[in-house]
Amino acid sequence: MAMSSGILAVVSLITIFFLSLMITARVLPIHPYLKIKDSTPISQLLYDTSNYGFLQIDNGLALSPQMGWSTWNFFACNINETVIKETADALISTGLASLGYTYVNIDDCWSRLPRNLKGVDYLKYDNCYNLGLPPQKRYPPMRDALNVTGRTIFYALCEWGVDDPALWAGKVGNSWRTTEDINDTWASMTTIADINNKWASYAGPGGWNDPDMLEVGNGGMNYHEYKGHFSIWALMKAPLIIGCDVRNITAETLEILSNKEVIAVDQDPLGVQGRRVYASGPDGCQQVWAGPLSGNRLAMVLWNRCSKAATITAKWGAIGLEPSISVSVRDLWKHEVVSENTVGSFTARVDAHGCEMYMLTPQRATHTSI
């Protein structure tokens, strides 16, 4: 079908089979974080990337996590040509496309045998109707088939984390689902974040852990919860795939999804997945998540998963900073520097089920070539 200008037409296919054609694999270079030559004030031990794997799809894509929109979370099977065209138009008119949300993914309930890959830029390959084949045998033939089409096609594996794809999917595709399907609830979102956190050391440019699509704007969570959802997904270098009805997007939802500073964390070229580094309070509900960025900067989220507002402190040692280093602290939701020459720790009051997200820039940080 025809698509609006500026949007990549994308199809998520479920049951297409190709002749498996083997190609020469390429070895993915060492993770950029381990190539930094200058002294860095951020611990490379805490933000381990040593499990960053080998990518054999060799399509030059996914240097940063993919961004776009998908039908499934809001529309499920209630899709048609009009919905897809209107959504493509809405991505442009809202400015979301210009921020990087360029893939338009038609998920389940679309596939038909006569379809082919002409014009396709993205393949989300589910594990439905797998004929009993284990994922590690089923997914590589599709990689090989995509590689010989002559077209660069983003390959997103979706076997719901059943066989721990982070351990092997870096040799197969550009992203891999680490969890079961998300639903639009606080419990689902937080559980999935915790599961995806486990695999942080395996992600990097060319291949990303995928904790599933965004539920922001679908109505099951409040503003604070959605802000935390988006912040943590960005910190984890997760794919940012919008799952709401963009044609009828609210100002509040658009504010969250279009936060350029948070998106920049997700798309940072260093490509180190942020992770949970500290937890305190009842059942560990007062949490600090953090991750290094290019230029020796650090992104940090204070995430309050308690049922009451709480004061959360991030100590430099816990987030991987040298204890004596001085930093400026920029609030990525207020879009302003909130503290200068801060040493040792940073503290903020955080709403129940809310988060605050910051950029920490050490005074002696320099922009390092990677």
Side-chain angles (χ1 to χ4, degrees):
M1 65 183 70
M3 287 289 176
S4 297
S5 175
I7 294 292
L8 301 176
V10 180
V11 181
S12 179
L13 307 178
I14 306 301
T15 54
I16 296 180
F17 296 91
F18 290 85
L19 177 65
S20 176
L21 299 174
M22 296 308 296
I23 61 170
T24 301
R26 72 176 172 93
V27 177
L28 193 68
I30 190 171
H31 194 290
Y33 191 46
L34 300 179
K35 292 175 65 178
I36 296 175
K37 301 300 183 183
D38 296 346
S39 175
T40 173
I42 303 171
S43 169
Q44 290 186 329
L45 292 176
L46 180 60
Y47 302 107
D48 173 32
T49 59
S50 62
N51 290 312
Y52 180 60
F54 300 106
L55 182 69
Q56 292 182 326
I57 194 167
D58 199 15
N59 60 9
L61 300 176
L63 295 182
S64 60
Q66 67 268 38
M67 297 175 62
W69 172 86
S70 176
T71 57
W72 183 253
N73 283 2
F74 184 85
F75 292 99
C77 287
N78 298 317
I79 55 175
N80 53 53
E81 184 175 358
T82 298
V83 166
I84 306 306
K85 285 184 173 182
E86 288 180 352
T87 298
D89 289 338
L91 286 170
I92 294 172
S93 64
T94 58
L96 290 168
S98 64
L99 294 175
Y101 297 99
T102 52
Y103 285 117
V104 176
N105 297 354
I106 308 170
D107 209 300
D108 202 359
C109 309
W110 174 90
S111 55
R112 286 173 40 197
L113 290 179
R115 306 278 192 189
N116 58 44
L117 284 174
K118 183 178 180 180
V120 170
D121 299 294
Y122 189 115
L123 175 67
K124 172 177 174 263
Y125 198 30
D126 279 344
N127 203 30
C128 306
Y129 309 107
N130 57 34
L131 304 179
L133 290 174
Q136 292 187 56
K137 291 186 177 180
R138 182 169 185 262
Y139 281 92
M142 181 64 83
R143 169 203 64 198
D144 301 335
L146 295 177
N147 277 345
V148 298
T149 63
R151 187 179 183 87
T152 53
I153 299 174
F154 194 105
Y155 188 24
L157 282 61
C158 182
E159 55 87 88
W160 315 293
V162 175
D163 278 17
D164 296 336
L167 299 176
W168 52 268
K171 300 178 180 179
V172 181
N174 296 119
S175 68
W176 44 87
R177 276 281 296 282
T178 56
T179 70
E180 63 184 12
D181 288 354
I182 195 172
N183 60 61
D184 190 18
T185 65
W186 169 256
S188 173
M189 184 269 289
T190 54
T191 298
I192 281 176
D194 290 341
I195 294 171
N196 193 64
N197 177 64
K198 173 183 177 181
W199 305 107
S201 64
Y202 293 86
W208 307 99
N209 292 316
D210 178 7
D212 206 5
M213 298 168 285
L214 295 166
E215 291 283 6
V216 178
N218 281 331
M221 289 180 267
N222 63 36
Y223 172 78
H224 295 300
E225 293 166 341
Y226 280 140
K227 191 175 80 167
H229 178 16
F230 192 67
S231 298
I232 291 295
W233 259 235
L235 187 81
M236 293 194 299
K237 301 298 185 293
L240 298 181
I241 304 295
I242 297 170
C244 67
D245 184 0
V246 182
R247 305 170 306 168
N248 297 296
I249 197 168
T250 66
E252 185 177 88
T253 298
L254 185 59
E255 175 204 347
I256 294 173
L257 295 174
S258 63
N259 187 322
K260 294 181 180 180
E261 294 191 73
V262 176
I263 292 171
V265 171
D266 181 77
Q267 298 290 297
D268 184 77
L270 188 59
V272 178
Q273 179 174 325
R275 60 208 76 187
R276 184 176 60 244
V277 295
Y278 179 76
S280 61
D283 298 320
C285 63
Q286 299 171 21
Q287 301 185 356
V288 180
W289 294 58
L293 303 173
S294 58
N296 286 334
R297 300 166 300 158
L298 188 80
M300 180 178 73
V301 173
L302 305 183
W303 198 15
N304 180 13
R305 288 163 55 164
C306 311
S307 58
K308 296 181 180 179
T311 298
I312 302 177
T313 296
K315 296 182 178 180
W316 277 194
I319 61 177
L321 284 178
E322 297 173 4
S324 62
I325 200 163
S326 174
V327 307
S328 67
V329 181
R330 181 174 178 83
D331 189 312
L332 301 189
W333 287 101
K334 293 180 180 177
H335 306 294
E336 63 184 21
V337 174
V338 294
S339 180
E340 292 273 19
N341 302 314
T342 307
V343 179
S345 66
F346 180 80
T347 300
R349 188 74 171 169
V350 186
D351 291 320
H353 287 195
C355 88
E356 300 297 336
M357 189 171 190
Y358 305 97
M359 179 82 72
L360 277 57
T361 305
Q363 284 188 326
R364 66 179 176 86
T366 58
H367 290 272
T368 305
S369 297
I370 58 174

